[in-house]
């Protein structure tokens, strides 16, 4: 699980506009078998394209409010 504040941190630190499982594996935050859910704690100030297995309603709304996309991927 990651929160909005985690996405914001990753976007700033790695200068990315897309966050997906492959990126998170590359930087060592998730393993091959992990399911990824995005939760709404914190805030996001950048436009991001996010790919995860699930999103809380508040996380999805916050991402879309910044003109980003919350994309659900298969297991």
């Amino acid at each position: 699980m990651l929160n909005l504040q985690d996405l914001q941190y990753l976007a700033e630190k790695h200068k990315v506009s897309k966050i997906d499982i492959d990126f998170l594996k590359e930087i060592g935050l998730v393993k091959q078998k992990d399911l990824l859910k995005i939760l709404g704690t914190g805030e996001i100030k950048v436009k991001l394209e996010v790919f995860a297995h699930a999103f809380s309603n508040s996380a999805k709304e916050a991402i879309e409010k910044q003109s980003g996309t919350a994309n659900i991927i298969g297991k």
Side-chain angles (χ1 to χ4, degrees):
M1 287 187 266
L2 290 176
N3 284 296
L4 292 175
Q5 63 195 18
D6 302 320
L7 298 180
Q8 179 69 35
Y9 172 78
L10 292 171
E12 290 175 357
K13 180 178 180 187
H14 296 279
K15 310 243 186 291
V16 296
S17 60
K18 175 183 172 185
I19 295 180
D20 62 9
I21 294 287
D22 291 334
F23 168 72
L24 295 172
K25 281 188 229 176
E26 186 180 303
I27 62 172
L29 282 183
V30 298
K31 296 181 178 163
Q32 183 71 26
K33 63 185 178 198
D34 289 345
L35 296 179
L36 178 61
K37 182 172 184 178
I38 307 299
L39 302 175
T41 300
E43 66 179 315
I44 192 164
K45 300 175 185 175
V46 295
K47 177 181 176 180
L48 284 176
E49 186 177 16
V50 184
F51 294 83
H53 296 98
F55 294 84
S56 70
N57 288 336
S58 59
K60 185 177 188 296
E61 289 172 9
I63 292 167
E64 291 173 349
K65 184 176 180 184
Q66 295 299 324
S67 299
T69 56
N71 304 288
I72 295 181
I73 57 176
K75 296 176 181 165

